Amino acid sequence: MQTTEERTYRFLVRAPSQEAACALARSWWKGTPSLTGYVGGGHLQDGELIDVLTCEGARDMPVWPYTDTIADPV
């Protein structure tokens, strides 16, 4: 993912489909959607937006070793 501030992050998402993974990633990074935008829980800095979000493939991981559904956000 690349942000409007030109920061790049790579991370793993646990989801049942690629579409679900993209939706989960957007809400995790942006926060909870509301009628006036996104509020609470977002992991982006204030004023920063997702510019490009690319979901790449899937891996079979029978055991998810992380406590959160998003892992290794670097």
Side-chain angles (χ1 to χ4, degrees):
M1 175 185 80
Q2 186 168 357
T3 69
T4 53
E5 298 297 318
E6 298 186 11
R7 290 181 181 87
T8 301
Y9 298 94
R10 293 182 60 95
F11 49 92
L12 301 172
V13 178
R14 182 178 188 190
S17 69
Q18 190 166 344
E19 294 81 16
C22 286
L24 178 62
R26 282 192 185 282
S27 66
W28 191 85
W29 285 101
K30 292 169 79 171
T32 306
S34 74
L35 295 175
T36 59
Y38 285 83
V39 297
H43 293 82
L44 292 175
Q45 296 181 13
D46 288 343
E48 191 170 23
L49 302 171
I50 295 173
D51 189 27
V52 177
L53 177 63
T54 304
C55 296
E56 298 176 356
R59 294 187 179 94
D60 184 18
M61 293 180 74
V63 176
W64 184 254
Y66 309 101
T67 56
D68 200 358
T69 55
I70 301 280
D72 292 338
V74 295

